[in-house]
């Protein structure tokens, strides 16, 4: 789901260079802290004998699409458990959690009836509803995402119509607030008897040649009204008609199914136990669930196969880290980062012993930076690690919080939710689309990403000094506010009461 926030992320990019010098030993890197011989062995296994692409091929071809809560997702969980066991991880098990509601895609057909008659290419957005059986037809009307306040004053104007999301003028809110408000519109649209809404994730337009992009429209958000993603070519034509004052008429038949209640899902967990401090845990993760227009090879088969490839490279190196590396394949990321939120909740009593999490979920490209999830105190030390891997790849280090994937719950817990950010220019095409297939992934890039994950994981878990302990809620809340994450978290109801109380106290004492 990460990409919807990409625009905002760019604006919020703050160089985390303000790290304190700290004590010198805490800033030692692999060249000085004794971890380098092990890293050399792991790099050899990871680059010369990588199994990551083989894992991704199996996941793409033998499992395929795996929407959280579906039988295919259950198959993916079983596949993940079998892989972790075959790799030789310890304590391999599934950790169950409940998704608020299940959803299954049915058909999505659209036909333009006038001004010309032809089929339109659409796919339903996830967790959205259906037209009446057999479909319904109506006029297409523009819906300005940049003025939802004005649009929502008169919802009856959309009754029996097909709102098409356009962006006119200047936005009067941040994109994240617009995305949240779009959800409010969709609720009202359901009540107002709208036939269907044309607009992709966050109301955004499709990218690419004749591609649609599915996705969720909030965190754990479902809507009775059908919402579709339409190809850029078809949507562009409708927009041109509207601009000329013509009113296109379209017939929609969209059929999806919701479960009546919660459905079960599970995170897949396996460990390399620490040789000195097994109780201290670094989580290394990616999300196993995907959307269903293709195989989910880039989102997030890449992350899943990096996690398994990293585990495999470390195991085959024969090296044992000081502390435990816990490999986790999360589910429910696409519905609202649910699996990793569930993980943090289920492991609450153990969080003080966590060192952080290391996550990859930004497409098919090479790693370009490690974003330390709010922890500016760790930037200097991590730069020493980056220097040690510079012959494999030059990577940057900053303290940015990534809020669009499984890093977020860890950053909110005051831990470094480390995002392995990637240079993935083609991700805009494969993201949640029919092009998200194995063809989009280069084996050498995947092997390198998996190796960098293995090296970072091993270094964090093995260095003599403990890498990180959780910050207090107070310090964490302040950091999230400083990084402007509070607006998004509040807009989607994810700002914890503890943080709100801290904010209130701070205001009253100022
Ligand atoms: Zn993803």
């Amino acid at each position: 789901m990460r990409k919807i926030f990409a625009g905002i992320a760019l604006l919020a990019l703050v160089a985390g260079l303000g790290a304190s010098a700290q004590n010198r030993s805490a800033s030692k890197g692999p060249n000085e802290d004794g971890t380098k011989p092990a890293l050399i062995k792991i790099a050899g296994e990871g680059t010369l004998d990588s199994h990551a692409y083989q894992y991704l091929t199996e996941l793409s071809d033998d499992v395929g699409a795996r929407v959280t809560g579906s039988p295919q997702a259950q198959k993916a969980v079983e596949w993940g458990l079998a892989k972790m066991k075959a790799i030789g991880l310890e304590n391999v098990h599934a950790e169950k959690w409940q998704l608020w509601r299940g959803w299954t895609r049915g058909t999505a057909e659209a036909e333009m009836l006038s001004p010309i008659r032809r089929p339109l290419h659409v796919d339903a957005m996830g967790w959205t509803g259906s037209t009446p059986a057999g479909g319904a037809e109506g006029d297409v009307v523009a819906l300005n995402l940049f003025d939802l306040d004005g649009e929502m004053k008169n919802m009856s104007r959309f009754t029996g119509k097909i709102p098409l999301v356009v962006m006119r003028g200047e936005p009067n809110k941040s994109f994240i607030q617009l995305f949240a408000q779009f959800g409010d519109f969709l609720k009202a649209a359901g009540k107002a008897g709208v036939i269907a809404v044309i607009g992709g994730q966050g109301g955004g337009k499709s990218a690419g040649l004749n591609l649609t992009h599915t996705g969720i429209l909030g965190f754990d958000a479902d809507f009775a009204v059908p919402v579709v993603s339409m190809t850029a070519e078809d949507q562009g034509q409708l927009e041109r008609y509207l601009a000329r004052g013509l009113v296109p008429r379209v017939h929609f038949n969209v059929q999806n199914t919701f479960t009546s209640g919660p459905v079960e899902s599970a995170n897949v967990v396996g460990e390399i136990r620490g040789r000195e401090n097994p109780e201290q845990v670094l989580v290394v993760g990616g999300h196993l669930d995907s959307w269903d227009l293709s195989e989910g090879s880039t989102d997030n088969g890449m992350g899943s196969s990096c996690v398994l490839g990293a585990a495999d490279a470390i195991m085959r190196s024969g090296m044992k880290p000081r502390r435990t590396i816990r490999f986790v394949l999360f589910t429910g990321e696409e519905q609202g980062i649910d699996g990793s939120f569930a993980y943090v909740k289920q492991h609450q009593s153990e969080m003080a012993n966590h060192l952080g999490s290391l996550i990859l979920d930004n497409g098919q490209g090479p790693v370009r930076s490690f974003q330390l999830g709010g922890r500016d105190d760790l930037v200097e030390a991590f730069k020493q690690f980056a220097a040690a891997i510079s012959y494999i790849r030059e990577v940057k280090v900053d303290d940015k919080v990534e809020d669009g994937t499984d890093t977020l719950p860890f950053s909110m817990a005051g831990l470094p939710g480390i995002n392995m950010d990637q240079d993935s220019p083609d991700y805009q095409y494969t993201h949640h689309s029919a092009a998200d297939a194995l063809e989009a992934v280069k084996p050498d890039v995947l092997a390198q990403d998996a190796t960098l994950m293995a090296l970072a994981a091993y270094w964090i878990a093995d260095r003599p000094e403990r890498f990180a302990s959780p910050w207090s809620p107070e310090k964490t809340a302040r950091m999230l506010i400083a990084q402007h994450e509070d607006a998004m978290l509040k807009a989607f109801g994810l700002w914890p009461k503890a943080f709100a109380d801290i904010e209130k106290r701070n205001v009253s004492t100022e």
Side-chain angles (χ1 to χ4, degrees):
M1 110 172 241
R2 174 181 194 286
K3 203 179 139 275
I4 41 172
F5 300 137
I8 306 100
L10 268 180
L11 297 176
L13 237 183
V14 274
L17 304 174
S20 59
Q22 295 259 321
N23 65 66
R24 297 204 112 226
S25 70
S27 291
K28 275 186 189 164
N31 292 326
E32 303 162 291
D33 65 10
T35 57
K36 196 160 183 181
L39 297 185
I40 289 171
K41 287 208 174 92
I42 293 164
E45 295 293 342
T47 52
L48 286 175
D49 201 13
S50 175
H51 293 174
Y53 193 73
Q54 182 196 318
Y55 298 139
L56 184 59
T57 306
E58 285 180 28
L59 184 59
S60 302
D61 293 346
D62 298 347
V63 180
R66 44 203 182 275
V67 174
T68 306
S70 68
Q72 296 89 333
Q74 182 53 35
K75 191 176 172 190
V77 166
E78 278 152 27
W79 175 84
L81 290 168
K83 287 294 119 181
M84 285 190 179
K85 284 180 189 155
I87 286 167
L89 296 183
E90 299 163 72
N91 195 15
V92 174
H93 63 284
E95 297 184 354
K96 290 179 183 171
W97 59 273
Q98 299 263 311
L99 187 75
W100 87 103
R101 207 174 179 193
W103 178 85
T104 309
R105 182 184 303 283
T107 53
E109 294 159 349
E111 187 184 15
M112 178 156 51
L113 306 173
S114 70
I116 60 171
R117 188 164 189 143
R118 71 174 183 91
L120 299 167
H121 302 90
V122 295
D123 281 300
M125 300 304 292
W127 273 255
T128 69
S130 308
T131 59
E137 65 175 79
D139 294 343
V140 175
V141 294
L143 169 73
N144 189 4
L145 188 70
F146 290 170
D147 182 28
L148 285 176
D149 293 322
E151 300 281 23
M152 285 170 70
K153 275 183 192 139
N154 181 13
M155 287 305 296
S156 63
R157 157 173 114 75
F158 298 109
T159 302
K161 298 281 181 5
I162 300 162
L164 165 75
V165 175
V166 296
M167 296 175 208
R168 287 180 188 156
E170 293 295 316
N172 60 356
K173 292 189 169 77
S174 73
F175 271 90
I176 216 63
Q177 287 167 321
L178 289 175
F179 183 28
Q181 199 183 11
F182 185 53
D184 297 338
F185 172 83
L186 295 177
K187 266 188 214 126
K191 286 188 194 124
V194 161
I195 291 177
V197 178
I198 304 170
Q201 202 165 20
K205 243 177 131 169
S206 293
L209 299 177
N210 212 35
L211 288 171
T212 61
H213 304 264
T214 189
I216 199 89
L217 294 162
F219 288 78
D220 291 4
D222 58 75
F223 299 99
V225 67
V227 185
V228 298
S229 167
M230 183 176 276
T231 63
E233 293 80 359
D234 290 355
Q235 192 164 334
Q237 188 175 48
L238 292 180
E239 283 179 24
R240 289 194 298 278
Y241 290 139
L242 288 174
R244 280 164 58 192
L246 300 172
V247 180
R249 199 160 172 85
V250 177
H251 181 268
F252 269 100
N253 185 13
V254 182
Q255 303 299 329
N256 300 310
T257 350
F258 287 105
T259 62
S260 53
V263 287
E264 197 164 82
S265 190
N267 298 324
V268 182
V269 181
E271 297 178 332
I272 297 176
R273 298 287 290 171
R275 66 176 197 271
E276 282 181 16
N277 294 98
E279 77 289 354
Q280 293 177 18
V281 176
L282 171 72
V283 168
V284 174
H287 71 88
L288 184 60
D289 65 304
S290 78
W291 284 105
D292 52 347
L293 298 182
S294 194
E295 305 145 23
S297 304
T298 70
D299 188 10
N300 186 229
M302 278 290 292
S304 300
S305 53
C306 277
V307 168
L308 295 172
D312 178 62
I314 296 171
M315 284 302 293
R316 278 188 293 113
S317 76
M319 297 290 105
K320 267 265 191 189
R322 278 192 170 82
R323 305 172 191 82
T324 295
I325 305 176
R326 183 176 291 162
F327 299 91
V328 186
L329 300 174
F330 296 107
T331 51
E333 193 276 347
E334 295 294 354
Q335 287 66 43
I337 318 182
D338 293 298
S340 45
F341 272 119
Y343 174 93
V344 168
K345 213 169 164 192
Q346 288 167 0
H347 292 267
Q348 196 57 53
S349 63
E350 212 195 341
M351 287 319 277
N353 271 329
H354 273 60
L355 308 173
S357 70
L358 184 63
I359 307 285
L360 183 138
D361 181 23
N362 191 22
Q364 56 272 56
V367 173
R368 65 178 166 197
S369 70
F370 285 81
Q371 302 176 314
L372 304 189
R375 293 295 299 259
D376 59 358
D377 58 322
L378 306 173
V379 170
E380 278 314 308
F382 208 92
K383 277 185 177 167
Q384 304 305 311
F385 168 75
I389 59 165
S390 64
Y391 288 132
I392 304 177
R393 185 147 197 101
E394 200 181 314
V395 294
K396 297 211 172 349
V397 182
D398 64 51
D399 74 333
K400 196 197 159 289
V401 172
E402 169 53 62
D403 62 16
T405 187
D406 296 307
T407 43
L408 179 65
F410 294 91
S411 286
M412 288 175 71
L415 285 161
I418 303 174
N419 181 47
M420 297 177 67
D421 191 31
Q422 298 158 265
D423 184 11
S424 303
D426 292 343
Y427 194 36
Q428 61 175 318
Y429 307 118
T430 64
H431 190 252
H432 299 183
S433 79
D436 190 356
L438 193 63
E439 281 64 24
V441 177
K442 295 192 173 72
D444 58 332
V445 174
L446 172 54
Q448 189 186 71
D449 286 357
T451 301
L452 295 183
M453 183 179 257
L455 294 174
Y458 194 89
W459 177 69
I460 291 170
D462 192 51
R463 69 201 293 269
E465 317 287 331
R466 179 174 170 156
F467 181 65
S469 295
W471 273 356
S472 68
E474 176 108 39
K475 202 167 176 184
T476 306
R478 242 184 291 136
M479 175 278 291
L480 290 167
I481 292 166
Q483 293 217 13
H484 309 291
E485 291 296 333
D486 54 324
M488 185 282 276
L489 294 169
K490 285 169 188 167
F492 288 100
L494 296 173
W495 190 246
K497 194 180 171 297
F499 290 177
D501 291 346
I502 288 164
E503 258 188 313
K504 245 183 269 164
R505 271 207 305 277
N506 286 349
V507 169
S508 62
T509 54
E510 261 163 25

